[in-house]
């Protein structure tokens, strides 16, 4: 990956941190602007252009014209600062430094909502976590025009790395929580449901944090050393604010936690690298880290009252965008459980016939580009050529997003196809729509649009599922 860096300050600390944390080839143009060196920038051909205007320079540049250039941009917000000249009037006086910073950040947010090739980086959030004294050193600014301390540069580069990974489809989707000592205080198998303390230090805040994650589309699951009936009974305690139905997978037994996490990933159709595991016991965290190093296992402060603040600062669930399908994911999985129950009582053929499936094709357009790009970034098992796209890549392309309903509910947008002429350049299907005959339904639609339809399979580490699809359905390949 190549990353171009433009700033109105000196950048050596940031360059080193970006190179280490993103693995990118970084080329910096400090004290410059992309339009001023466009030929050099085009020759470098970056995957991302990071444009950093620092609050200390006080220039408030117009970012909008840059977005016409053929690049993907990362732009940090300005950190909140105040020169103290207006006191509290700085909140309402438009000419104050603080008001100008807030207005610039608001314009930047509006641009990000309107332009698919702009992603924001929350540098102000870095300052809020570290504090102004650790983020900015006036001696570095005076002596070398460096707007961030080494510690802040490291945190900033980490935020950039998180956004880049999310845009490439590497996102955490599931929060797996322990119960005893974590969701509540006490061991339910010893004291019974009536003996646990839901109001122990930090527990209410932790449960509220889980609820907020679920509301934005993160899936919740349980991995607990417990008898399953006893663990579920604990949720009858008033005031918990969560119920067993809020958890899409509920693993309660006395086996190793890594085995529980593997089963949870399989149940929710994700890789174990999509999991975040929270447990109050350090030996359980260590066991999961050893067995499943790809799982995110945050360290927990000794004081539970500090848990949420610590977890929030880790930005565990960075996402390139949030779509309506993200927020409906939990309900889709509940519908899938109902389908599995129906499938157990029928032959495969009878089960598929009973689903009463309805596939709808929507031409690629502004209303579905975000979801189409997300599908290409996240689908691995059925990604015919291993292709990945951003919203910007897909704008103006010919293709379709496919939505699927059945008698159990709406699965949402489950597939995307991009054509180049009559060649299937990209074809992805969400894993939750596999083994349902969807491939045939999509090809029937495509053939109606493209009589000379043809395609190619390009193997990847995870898409063997696609290897024989074209052959089985009579689609010409090279």
């Amino acid at each position: 990956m190549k990353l171009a860096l433009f700033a109105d300050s000196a950048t050596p600390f940031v360059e080193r941190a970006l190179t280490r944390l993103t693995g990118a080839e970084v080329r910096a143009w400090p004290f410059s602007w992309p339009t001023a060196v466009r030929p050099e920038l085009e020759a470098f051909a970056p995957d991302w252009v990071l444009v950093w205007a620092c609050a200390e320079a006080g220039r408030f540049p117009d970012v909008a014209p840059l977005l016409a250039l053929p690049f993907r941009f990362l732009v940090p917000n300005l950190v909140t600062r105040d020169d103290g000249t207006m006191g509290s009037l700085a909140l309402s006086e438009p000419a104050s430094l603080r008001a100008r910073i807030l207005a610039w950040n608001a314009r930047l947010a509006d641009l990000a909502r309107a332009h698919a090739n702009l992603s924001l980086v929350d540098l102000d959030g870095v300052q809020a976590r570290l504090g102004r004294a650790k983020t900015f050193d006036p001696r570095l600014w005076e002596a070398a025009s460096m707007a961030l301390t080494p510690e802040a540069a490291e945190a900033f580069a980490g935020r950039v790395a998180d956004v880049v990974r999310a845009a490439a489809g590497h996102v955490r989707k599931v929060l797996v929580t322990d119960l005893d000592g974590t969701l509540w205080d006490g061991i339910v198998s010893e004291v019974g449901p009536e003996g646990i303390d839901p109001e122990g230090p930090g527990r209410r805040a932790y449960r509220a944090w889980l609820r907020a994650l679920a509301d934005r589309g993160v899936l919740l699951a349980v991995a607990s050393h417990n008898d399953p009936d006893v663990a579920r009974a604990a949720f009858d305690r008033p005031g918990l604010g969560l119920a067993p139905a809020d958890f899409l997978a509920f693993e309660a037994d006395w086996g190793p936690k890594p085995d529980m996490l593997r089963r949870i990933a399989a149940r929710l159709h994700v890789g174990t690298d999509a999991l975040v595991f929270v447990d109050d016991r350090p030996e359980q965290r260590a066991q999961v880290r050893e067995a499943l190093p790809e799982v995110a296992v945050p360290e927990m402060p000794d004081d539970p009252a500090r848990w949420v603040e610590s977890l929030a600062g880790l930005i565990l669930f960075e996402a390139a965008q949030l779509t309506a399908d993200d927020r409906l994911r939990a309900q889709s999985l509940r519908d899938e459980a109902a389908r599995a129950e129906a499938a157990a009582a029928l032959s495969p053929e009878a089960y598929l016939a009973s689903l009463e499936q309805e596939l709808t094709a929507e031409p690629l357009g502004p209303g579905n580009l975000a979801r189409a790009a997300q599908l290409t970034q996240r689908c691995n098992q059925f990604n015919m050529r291993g292709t990945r796209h951003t919203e910007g890549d897909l704008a103006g392309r010919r293709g379709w997003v496919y939505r699927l309903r059945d008698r159990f509910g709406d699965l949402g947008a489950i597939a995307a196809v991009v054509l180049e002429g009559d060649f299937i350049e990209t074809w992805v299907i969400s894993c939750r729509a596999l083994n349902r005959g969807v491939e045939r339904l999509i090809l029937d639609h495509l053939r109606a649009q493209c009589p000379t339809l043809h395609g190619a399979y390009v193997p990847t580490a995870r898409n063997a599922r696609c290897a024989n699809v074209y052959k089985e359905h009579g689609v010409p390949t090279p």
Side-chain angles (χ1 to χ4, degrees):
M1 186 182 79
K2 294 182 179 180
L3 189 151
L5 170 60
F6 291 85
D8 50 12
S9 59
T11 60
F13 294 158
V14 173
E15 288 175 57
R16 287 196 291 270
L18 286 171
T19 299
R20 186 175 63 80
L21 293 175
T22 69
E25 177 187 348
V26 178
R27 182 172 177 185
W29 284 268
F31 307 104
S32 187
W33 197 244
T35 51
V37 293
R38 182 169 178 176
E40 295 177 49
L41 182 60
E42 290 177 339
F44 181 56
D47 298 283
W48 290 94
V49 179
L50 173 58
V51 179
W52 171 29
C54 69
E56 286 68 33
R59 294 189 176 93
F60 306 99
D62 186 4
V63 173
L66 296 180
L67 303 179
L69 299 178
F71 304 109
R72 289 191 295 176
F73 287 91
L74 292 159
V75 180
N77 53 7
L78 293 176
V79 298
T80 302
R81 61 182 296 261
D82 191 357
D83 58 11
T85 59
M86 291 193 179
S88 294
L89 284 176
L91 296 171
S92 58
E93 176 53 53
S96 73
L97 175 61
R98 188 171 178 186
R100 293 175 70 196
I101 288 172
L102 293 174
W104 191 87
N105 285 345
R107 289 194 299 273
L108 186 65
D110 290 340
L111 285 174
R113 284 188 286 269
H115 293 271
N117 63 330
L118 172 60
S119 296
L120 304 188
V121 182
D122 190 11
L123 180 55
D124 192 43
V126 170
Q127 177 174 275
R129 291 286 170 187
L130 296 179
R132 179 71 175 169
K134 290 186 177 180
T135 306
F136 178 74
D137 186 336
R139 297 167 299 178
L140 284 173
W141 179 250
E142 289 288 340
S145 297
M146 293 183 181
L148 292 177
T149 64
E151 181 180 3
E154 187 83 2
F156 173 41
R159 287 287 178 91
V160 172
D162 288 342
V163 173
V164 169
R165 281 194 292 267
H170 303 298
V171 295
R172 307 284 184 183
K173 301 177 183 178
V174 185
L175 187 291
V176 184
T177 183
D178 178 43
L179 296 179
D180 294 332
T182 303
L183 206 67
W184 53 69
D185 201 5
I187 300 174
V188 68
S189 62
E190 294 181 358
V191 300
E194 67 284 349
I196 62 172
D197 181 8
E199 303 302 324
R203 298 329 194 274
R204 179 182 289 273
Y206 175 63
R207 295 194 302 273
W209 186 68
L210 295 186
R211 171 59 65 191
L213 287 175
D215 289 345
R216 62 142 283 191
V218 173
L219 305 179
L220 303 183
V222 163
S224 173
H225 282 156
N226 251 309
D227 176 272
D229 293 334
V230 173
R232 290 177 183 275
F235 286 89
D236 293 335
R237 276 294 303 268
L240 269 178
L242 291 168
D246 293 313
F247 299 92
L248 276 298
F250 200 101
E251 289 285 332
D253 61 36
W254 303 100
K257 291 283 182 83
D259 291 347
M260 295 185 191
L261 267 60
R262 292 185 184 98
R263 292 195 295 270
I264 288 169
R267 167 76 183 275
L268 300 181
H269 308 298
V270 299
T272 49
D273 59 352
L275 306 182
V276 174
F277 174 63
V278 176
D279 195 305
D280 66 302
R281 295 172 60 184
E283 72 274 15
Q284 296 297 335
R285 299 196 297 266
Q287 183 184 44
V288 170
R289 288 193 191 102
E290 176 69 24
L292 298 172
E294 69 278 13
V295 173
V297 185
E299 269 305 294
M300 305 292 284
D302 292 335
D303 183 355
R306 299 182 181 276
W307 285 357
V308 169
E309 189 68 14
S310 176
L311 290 166
L314 297 176
I315 316 296
L316 294 163
F317 296 96
E318 186 70 79
Q321 71 275 113
L322 291 178
T323 68
D325 288 87
D326 290 320
R327 294 185 170 91
L328 291 173
R329 188 181 297 120
Q331 185 56 49
S332 295
L333 284 165
R334 292 187 185 97
D335 293 341
E336 190 61 31
R339 294 182 187 99
E341 184 177 347
L346 298 170
S347 69
E349 295 78 10
Y351 167 65
L352 285 179
S354 76
L355 288 177
E356 301 172 12
Q357 296 186 114
E358 179 184 342
L359 187 75
T360 303
E362 300 174 353
L364 280 177
N368 57 31
L369 285 182
R371 177 56 176 163
Q374 189 181 74
L375 283 166
T376 69
Q377 293 158 10
R378 294 185 180 180
C379 292
N380 295 301
Q381 294 181 56
F382 197 109
N383 188 327
M384 188 62 74
R385 299 177 64 243
T387 46
R388 312 288 184 187
H389 292 295
T390 66
E391 286 185 64
D393 297 336
L394 295 175
R397 303 283 295 274
R398 184 188 183 206
W400 291 268
V401 170
Y402 295 90
R403 304 188 69 88
L404 187 65
R405 291 186 61 87
D406 65 21
R407 67 185 178 92
F408 292 99
D410 188 352
L411 281 80
I414 51 85
V417 168
V418 179
L419 296 185
E420 291 182 352
D422 285 354
F423 175 69
I424 303 175
E425 187 271 341
T426 293
W427 183 10
V428 295
I429 301 177
S430 171
C431 57
R432 60 197 168 95
L434 297 178
N435 303 316
R436 301 168 59 103
V438 169
E439 300 95 318
R440 178 185 60 78
L441 298 175
I442 291 174
L443 287 173
D444 287 347
H445 170 261
L446 290 174
R447 285 190 172 108
Q449 314 300 316
C450 313
T452 58
L453 186 73
H454 59 288
Y457 164 65
V458 177
T460 71
R462 299 175 67 179
N463 76 347
R465 171 72 175 70
C466 303
N468 296 314
V469 169
Y470 284 145
K471 181 179 179 180
E472 291 169 355
H473 292 85
V475 176
T477 59

